Amino acid sequence: MSVDTRILVAGTGPVGLISALAFAKAGFSVVLAGPPARTDDGRTTALMVPALKFLATLGMLDSLEPDAAPLKVMRIIDGTSRLIRSPMVTFRAGEIGEEHFGLNFQNRVFNAVLEKAVEAHSGIEWRRAMVDNWTLEPGKVIATLSDGTLVEAPLAVAADGRNSQARQAAGISASAQSLPQAALVLNFVHSRDHAFTSTEFHTETGPFTQVPLPGRRSSLVWVLRPETAKEFASVGDDALSQRVEQQMQSMLGRVTIEGGRQIYPLSTSLPLRFAQNRIALVGEAAHVFPPIGAQGLNLGIRDVDQLVETAAKHRDDSGAPEALAAYDAARRPDIVARTSAVNLLNRSLLSDMLPAQLARSAGLNVLGVFSPLRAFFMREGLRPGSGFSSAVAGLRSPRRGGDAATD
Ligand SMILES: Cc1cc2nc3c(=O)[nH]c(=O)nc-3n(C[C@H](O)[C@H](O)[C@H](O)COP(=O)(O)OP(=O)(O)OC[C@H]3O[C@@H](n4cnc5c(N)ncnc54)[C@H](O)[C@@H]3O)c2cc1C
């Protein structure tokens, strides 16, 4: 059997499902290829305001909000025992006139909501099969699915994750590296209110990040050496609850971990190009880095937003070389900047070298004491480019700043 479509999306993680919905909303016919959405993902995802606005345009937000917790305050605490330690830095959404930075969802809920929306959309044909083989032909790409179907499209969206076969088929190489780190992921109940505050402790093995969930519950991403993550995943509930509470200096009172611990090995990957040969990369096919500062899926949603916009501008042939070149150019600065910043911060945590520690400490110190710079980073975190425009506006009409927020 052979199917013709305007857009083929390969991969049914969150980015693939969102891509299918966004292209269908923009009026393109879509074939989506990939297995049913994951129901066993124990992680939570913090999505920032711009990503939420994009989901709202797809009609997704109302179903997600009831099970999500707002992030009003984000703190970074140096939890290392190194000679040079940084002061605590606190970012408050109120400081830049926002009610919150974003919302924290459980991935299980998120995936189920996305899956239901895709199934309900008449413009999307979801074939629950893997892409087994890619063929590039002039003017089109052909995917052979594991159910035997051939799907032909002028543009394929590679949303097939970090080991993207579609990326390989496009002839795009990526510099990938596995890291000596793994994330232990779990949710826990605590006796004190979190006040919608997320705290990221920087440790010698990576960040330990608590993110609020509704009620007196939070999620945890604890980046450890792989062998320690394995060891912690197998100790009893009481012992691990105590360790988590200790690591947080009892900030949220008594901790009781919930069932369902998971381990995610960490790696980095950055392709040389973000589109080529009628295949455009989005999500983890286009960028992989450690979970620091809730960046990954936020970046993936910006990929989708840009790709749909570019495809709509080149509606006659959305996979044409000039359309793909425009997408590549538009996404490159954001992806390269985020990937480099996260990798640099991660390396500075792991490094015993004094210069790396000094640089990290000095950076956080300046952020803590200089409110315009903090506001710049908060705006950049929410909307890339907007920190720059606010800074320029601030230069045109200077106001006095510089209060201390180093708690
Ligand atoms: C511990 C942890 C915490 C995180 N927390 C956050 C956070 O708070 N905020 C944030 O923004 N990001 C966060 N991230 C990053 C975020 O999880 C990723 O960016 C996101 O999951 C990437 O989604 P994806 O759809 O690109 O890839 P994936 O979820 O890996 O999906 C890829 C899909 O492709 C399918 N596939 C593979 N090969 C084929 C094929 N040949 N044919 C068809 N389908 C195929 C797979 O089955 C899968 O469905 C976190 C990451 C980790 C590890």
Side-chain angles (χ1 to χ4, degrees):
M1 183 183 169
S2 174
V3 182
D4 259 323
T5 183
R6 297 284 304 281
I7 305 289
L8 164 64
V9 179
T12 42
V15 178
L17 297 172
I18 293 168
S19 300
L21 286 166
F23 271 106
K25 179 173 174 275
F28 291 89
S29 60
V30 177
V31 171
L32 172 66
R38 270 187 76 179
T39 52
D40 63 341
D41 188 339
R43 292 175 294 178
T44 69
T45 297
L47 287 184
M48 302 302 156
V49 169
L52 298 177
K53 285 188 176 157
F54 186 70
L55 291 179
T57 65
L58 301 178
M60 295 288 92
L61 206 53
D62 289 349
S63 327
L64 290 167
E65 265 171 342
D67 294 312
L71 303 175
K72 298 189 175 190
V73 179
M74 295 170 90
R75 276 191 303 216
I76 300 176
I77 297 180
D78 190 336
T80 64
S81 50
R82 293 210 168 104
L83 193 60
I84 295 168
R85 298 181 63 224
S86 321
M88 175 156 103
V89 183
T90 305
F91 301 95
R92 291 189 174 82
E95 249 187 284
I96 51 166
E98 299 278 350
E99 200 185 315
H100 55 66
F101 291 111
L103 296 175
N104 190 34
F105 308 102
Q106 301 203 55
N107 285 17
R108 251 183 304 110
V109 175
F110 189 45
N111 290 344
V113 167
L114 290 173
E115 179 166 52
K116 208 169 146 198
V118 168
E119 281 170 346
H121 205 299
S122 58
I124 305 171
E125 183 184 337
W126 185 349
R127 305 199 71 92
R128 287 172 178 72
M130 302 295 271
V131 178
D132 273 351
N133 190 45
W134 293 92
T135 311
L136 308 178
E137 285 196 0
K140 66 183 174 193
V141 63
I142 305 171
T144 309
L145 308 193
S146 51
D147 64 3
T149 313
L150 296 182
V151 185
E152 296 189 11
L155 174 63
V157 181
D160 51 350
R162 55 185 66 195
N163 301 316
S164 173
Q165 278 180 23
R167 186 179 62 212
Q168 286 171 30
I172 301 173
S173 58
S175 59
Q177 197 189 357
S178 51
L179 296 169
Q181 293 167 296
L184 174 66
V185 174
L186 55 86
N187 296 336
F188 63 97
V189 177
H190 36 82
S191 60
R192 288 202 202 124
D193 273 342
H194 48 49
F196 305 112
T197 300
S198 169
T199 305
E200 188 167 282
F201 289 84
H202 287 179
T203 81
E204 284 91 346
T205 58
F208 168 108
T209 310
Q210 163 268 332
V211 193
L213 285 169
R216 285 191 175 170
R217 291 177 71 224
S218 289
S219 60
L220 173 67
V221 176
W222 193 351
V223 177
L224 296 154
R225 286 190 192 90
E227 59 279 11
T228 318
K230 218 164 142 190
E231 182 201 325
F232 285 8
S234 62
V235 302
D237 283 359
D238 289 348
L240 188 57
S241 297
Q242 267 177 29
R243 273 186 197 266
V244 171
E245 184 177 329
Q246 231 170 32
Q247 189 72 30
M248 297 181 71
Q249 300 152 18
S250 297
M251 209 176 69
L252 293 176
R254 199 181 155 78
V255 164
T256 311
I257 63 160
E258 299 177 352
R261 304 168 207 179
Q262 291 181 341
I263 295 180
Y264 289 83
L266 301 187
S267 59
T268 65
S269 166
L270 187 65
L272 280 183
R273 300 187 58 77
F274 301 104
Q276 185 168 277
N277 289 329
R278 300 200 166 264
I279 297 179
L281 314 185
V282 291
E284 289 211 330
H287 40 77
V288 183
F289 43 72
I292 302 181
Q295 297 285 328
L297 188 55
N298 284 281
L299 198 58
I301 289 176
R302 294 206 288 279
D303 301 337
V304 177
D305 193 2
Q306 182 64 56
L307 185 59
V308 175
E309 187 187 315
T310 309
K313 272 190 195 144
H314 296 81
R315 217 169 255 277
D316 287 349
D317 185 0
S318 302
E322 55 274 23
L324 297 192
Y327 172 70
D328 181 84
R331 290 307 295 140
R332 181 167 296 278
D334 188 20
I335 295 176
V336 172
R338 303 282 148 174
T339 307
S340 313
V342 170
N343 285 335
L344 197 69
L345 179 56
N346 189 48
R347 273 204 297 275
S348 78
L349 287 175
L350 300 184
S351 170
D352 282 329
M353 306 287 282
L354 210 55
Q357 291 171 38
L358 264 172
R360 186 174 59 87
S361 171
L364 288 176
N365 220 333
V366 174
L367 267 183
V369 296
F370 190 49
S371 71
L373 191 63
R374 212 169 43 250
F376 170 86
F377 273 98
M378 286 190 273
R379 290 202 182 90
E380 273 298 301
L382 285 186
R383 203 168 294 104
S386 64
F388 283 105
S389 40
S390 298
V392 170
L395 286 178
R396 286 202 191 109
S397 56
R399 270 188 290 145
R400 289 171 68 82
D403 57 312
T406 314
D407 298 294

